[in-house]
Amino acid sequence: MRRQAIPALRRIPEDNLYVVRGVEPNAVPEIVVGPARAAGYMLDDESSVVAEAAALLDDDPGALPLVQFALTRWWERRDRDARRLPAAAWRDIGGFAGALAEAAGELYERLGPPERDAMRRVLVALFRP
């Protein structure tokens, strides 16, 4: 059914469009460190992670969801006893550049052969020009 055929649906895209602006460079440390500190955790090598996030967001303001995803993956690997996010865990997920690929690889490994074939077909179809 076409969206135009239902009057109530016609304006949904326009009424729900939000512009996400770039991140102010001074806000990057708080974005990276703030949530963990608020929970009482420290981040190993926080200055290099903040610098990496700042560079990524400076190059691509639309990368904020990737930053959030990678930091969430790091949080999932936190050391609860020491109340810290270990640098080794950050390296294991591949930082911002590798977090999504690492998560996709984990998902792929959990799939059986038929699901892997289906996943391959979908991904090829998505990225084929």
Side-chain angles (χ1 to χ4, degrees):
M1 180 183 307
R2 296 179 59 134
R3 174 175 61 90
Q4 307 320 45
I6 303 173
L9 297 180
R10 287 186 192 145
R11 298 222 20 105
I12 285 179
E14 294 85 5
D15 291 343
N16 293 285
L17 182 63
Y18 300 96
V19 176
V20 178
R21 290 175 174 47
V23 174
E24 177 67 33
N26 294 336
V28 175
E30 183 59 26
I31 289 169
V32 173
V33 178
R37 282 204 181 141
Y41 281 75
M42 298 303 294
L43 287 70
D44 288 353
D45 201 18
E46 74 179 56
S47 61
S48 67
V49 176
V50 167
E52 188 181 344
L56 177 63
L57 292 167
D58 186 48
D59 288 345
D60 181 7
L64 189 56
L66 176 60
V67 168
Q68 183 268 332
F69 180 80
L71 293 173
T72 300
R73 298 285 291 179
W74 194 17
W75 175 257
E76 291 167 351
R77 289 169 171 77
R78 69 192 177 276
D79 182 335
R80 288 181 168 93
D81 295 331
R83 300 192 62 78
R84 67 185 185 86
L85 281 72
W90 183 248
R91 286 190 302 274
D92 288 347
I93 66 168
F96 295 112
L100 193 56
E102 188 257 351
E106 285 179 6
L107 172 65
Y108 185 79
E109 291 302 317
R110 290 193 307 261
L111 298 175
E115 291 86 8
R116 286 180 179 182
D117 290 340
M119 183 178 180
R120 254 188 245 106
R121 285 193 304 276
V122 167
L123 290 173
V124 167
L126 284 172
F127 295 102
R128 181 174 288 148

